[in-house]
Amino acid sequence: MTVAVVPDACCAMGRCAATEPRLFAQDPDTGTVVLLDPTPAPALRESARLCAELCPCGAITVTES
């Protein structure tokens, strides 16, 4: 699995960082998404999928390997 983010598409809601802080954070200045790990461990993959689904701006994409 590979996770990608588009910070310019992010609307800074913070759902991803609140849902899975081991994968996502928010930029302290802009509030936009910061990806912490583009290739999450198996234990975090379901959370990565959920974060992509929850993102109201479509700024997170998950590609299954």
Side-chain angles (χ1 to χ4, degrees), residues 12-47:
M13 296 293 293
R15 291 180 183 176
C16 56
T19 302
E20 189 48 78
R22 296 171 292 180
L23 292 179
F24 303 98
Q26 285 184 275
D27 182 283
D29 296 323
T30 64
T32 57
V33 63
V34 175
L35 180 60
L36 302 177
D37 186 357
T39 54
L44 298 177
R45 291 179 182 171
E46 190 59 36
S47 290

Side-chain angles (χ1 to χ4, degrees), residues 3-10 16 23-24 33-36 38 58-62:
V3 179
V5 299
V6 180
D8 290 339
C10 179
C16 56
L23 292 179
F24 303 98
V33 63
V34 175
L35 180 60
L36 302 177
I60 302 169
T61 57
V62 172

